[in-house]
Amino acid sequence: MLESNSDTKSTTDSSVTSGDSNNNVVRVIRAAAAPDTTNYDVNDIYNYYSSKGSTISKQRIQNLIDYKNNLSSVTAILDLSAADYGEAWVDQALNKKIAVATTFKDKIVDELITTNGNKLVTSVNSKIDEQLTKLTELQQQYPNSKDVKNAIDKLNEAKNQVTLENIYNVEKMKDVIDTLDKYGSVSAYENFEKAAELDNAKTD
């Protein structure tokens, strides 16, 4: 049976704590990333539209649910506007408010996810590149910071996973979203900067 992902909600609340005195490892601690995700019942949505004459498949409804939840998480973490990536239409569809139900078809969902998903992939990669640039500059300033190097490595790995195919798949985006939350947000960078400064001060 197809199921939507769980209804979880949290904020990216990072804090910096120092590690053991031997190597002064600094860890960034944050809440699990899944802002504003929502539970939807695939069968309920399918049955509603089917009763109205729509030929939509359960798989496309699941794709739309996954796209919605990934969109909510990624845009919240990276300070993007979900409205720029088809959120209004997705909400309308999932809340059974498409005026002419017979127009809700697999082809329409595929087109929407392809168009808006590609836009989202481009925006996310751009945000990752911005963060990588800042972290690279920070690494040049504090070359001994293992945490900054780790953040750069993790973001580069995540970038390779930000693809159109993964954008509408909750399982495939789970680790990416977790990485973006830990290393890609503005607050994450500020924490790495403070941690590197602290580590350098202790070393001096």
Side-chain angles (χ1 to χ4, degrees):
M1 177 185 290
L2 292 167
E3 297 178 351
S4 60
N5 70 323
S6 61
D7 182 10
T8 52
K9 195 171 186 178
S10 64
T11 56
T12 309
D13 181 16
S14 302
S15 61
V16 175
T17 59
S18 59
D20 63 67
S21 57
N22 291 328
N23 55 23
N24 293 320
V25 174
V26 181
R27 294 182 176 85
V28 176
I29 303 172
R30 95 292 166 253
D36 194 31
T37 57
T38 308
N39 261 336
Y40 290 100
D41 187 320
V42 175
N43 291 322
D44 178 59
I45 296 170
Y46 172 79
N47 290 336
Y48 170 80
Y49 283 109
S50 182
S51 72
K52 300 293 183 181
S54 171
T55 58
I56 192 74
S57 66
K58 289 185 180 181
Q59 184 58 60
R60 292 312 194 284
I61 293 172
Q62 184 64 59
N63 288 353
L64 210 55
I65 291 169
D66 285 357
Y67 176 73
K68 159 68 178 178
N69 287 330
N70 284 337
L71 176 65
S72 296
S73 295
V74 170
T75 53
I77 292 167
L78 299 180
D79 196 25
L80 296 167
S81 173
D84 293 337
Y85 308 97
E87 180 189 46
W89 189 89
V90 174
D91 285 345
Q92 188 178 25
L94 295 179
N95 288 304
K96 299 177 287 190
K97 293 182 179 179
I98 298 292
V100 182
T102 53
T103 64
F104 187 42
K105 302 176 180 180
D106 287 4
K107 181 181 178 181
I108 297 298
V109 172
D110 289 344
E111 289 175 353
L112 178 130
I113 289 179
T114 297
T115 300
N116 291 284
N118 278 324
K119 285 172 57 181
L120 183 59
V121 167
T122 298
S123 296
V124 171
N125 283 332
S126 178
K127 285 283 188 177
I128 291 176
D129 285 339
E130 289 176 14
Q131 188 81 325
L132 284 170
T133 297
K134 291 165 63 178
L135 286 169
T136 299
E137 292 173 353
L138 190 62
Q139 185 182 42
Q140 291 171 352
Q141 189 175 358
Y142 303 103
N144 295 323
S145 174
K146 294 179 180 178
D147 295 280
V148 173
K149 181 185 183 303
N150 182 57
I152 291 171
D153 292 341
K154 293 293 185 183
L155 283 175
N156 276 314
E157 290 173 11
K159 186 177 178 181
N160 292 330
Q161 298 302 313
V162 181
T163 65
L164 177 62
E165 292 74 18
N166 290 349
I167 280 293
Y168 59 89
N169 186 307
V170 162
E171 285 304 312
K172 289 183 179 179
M173 281 294 289
K174 185 178 179 180
D175 289 341
V176 175
I177 288 171
D178 186 58
T179 298
L180 292 178
D181 190 34
K182 286 181 181 177
Y183 309 108
S185 66
V186 172
S187 60
Y189 173 79
E190 291 172 349
N191 284 325
F192 282 119
E193 185 176 38
K194 291 174 184 176
E197 290 173 354
L198 178 63
D199 194 40
N200 188 65
K202 287 183 178 181
T203 301
D204 289 344

